[in-house]
Amino acid sequence: MDKAIPKLTIVIPTRQSEDASVTLKSLSGQTFQDFTTIIVPDQNKGAQWARNEGFKGVVSEFTLFSDNDITWKSNALETLVGVLERTPKASYSYGRYLLGKDLWSHEAWNPYLLKQHNYISTMSVIRTADLPNPPFDEKIHRLQDWDLWLTMLEQGKRGVYVEDLIFTTPLKDGISHNGMDYLTAILEVKKKHNLY
């Protein structure tokens, strides 16, 4: 008999010379364990390529794209999955996180605010059936998570905010930059979504 399909699949991209040990260690201590992981080396093609590759293997009800240096709070998955199960009209759930010493992603879901700036982390639990396929636009060089949330918004999808600290991650030089400055990245996403 085939093993039962897990409720959640966690896709973790890794760069060359990096591994997912930090993330995997924190996932091993989760109060929610009905998940499987897919680890995808990015082969120097970028995290969005690796996430899309990993997504090809997802058959679960929910999907989570996690970076490889995330320390998840022990009840994070239980909280994020639970709120989606209780909020059937929401397509994804997200919560607060610490990037270094700074608190991020601490605003309730608001479509007007979402059009103004990126405030929702990639590290959100998403209904797999509500994701575009592929989820990430590999032509977007930075702020791929914001691009994803805007794409889903245009498709009538909404998120739900969890008022809990979900994870912590270190502040690293060059995090998510991909060689593009922040203002240029904002303009790239706004141009795609006609947000001028």
Side-chain angles (χ1 to χ4, degrees), residues 41-155:
D42 74 359
Q43 299 183 30
N44 294 319
K45 297 179 182 179
Q48 61 270 39
W49 175 87
R51 292 180 186 121
N52 286 341
E53 283 296 300
F55 184 68
K56 293 175 181 178
V58 174
V59 294
S60 55
E61 181 179 0
F62 301 110
T63 302
L64 168 63
F65 298 99
S66 176
D67 290 350
N68 68 346
D69 58 354
I70 301 299
T71 300
W72 292 94
K73 295 297 182 180
S74 62
N75 66 338
L77 300 185
E78 181 180 6
T79 300
L80 291 169
V81 170
V83 76
L84 271 185
E85 291 181 324
R86 296 188 301 272
T87 316
K89 291 184 178 179
S91 294
Y92 57 93
S93 59
Y94 66 98
R96 298 187 287 248
Y97 67 95
L98 281 173
L99 175 61
K101 296 180 180 179
D102 294 326
L103 187 66
W104 292 82
S105 198
H106 50 80
E107 297 166 295
W109 190 83
N110 181 316
Y112 305 103
L113 187 62
L114 186 58
K115 292 178 181 179
Q116 298 304 313
H117 69 95
N118 183 33
Y119 68 93
I120 300 173
S121 166
T122 305
M123 272 61 70
S124 303
V125 170
I126 312 165
R127 293 187 197 280
T128 302
D130 289 349
L131 275 163
N133 192 5
F136 292 93
D137 184 346
E138 295 174 29
K139 295 178 182 176
I140 297 294
H141 297 90
R142 190 177 171 188
L143 301 176
Q144 298 96 346
D145 48 358
W146 189 29
D147 174 59
L148 174 61
W149 309 134
L150 289 171
T151 297
M152 293 180 71
L153 178 63
E154 291 162 359
Q155 296 172 350

Side-chain angles (χ1 to χ4, degrees), residues 164-182:
D164 287 334
L165 184 68
I166 299 299
F167 67 86
T168 62
T169 188
L171 180 62
K172 297 188 297 186
D173 184 42
I175 187 168
S176 301
H177 289 187
N178 292 330
M180 177 178 282
D181 69 83
Y182 195 65

Side-chain angles (χ1 to χ4, degrees), residues 176-191:
S176 301
H177 289 187
N178 292 330
M180 177 178 282
D181 69 83
Y182 195 65
L183 179 58
T184 302
I186 290 172
L187 293 175
E188 181 181 55
V189 174
K190 285 193 169 187
K191 180 179 180 181

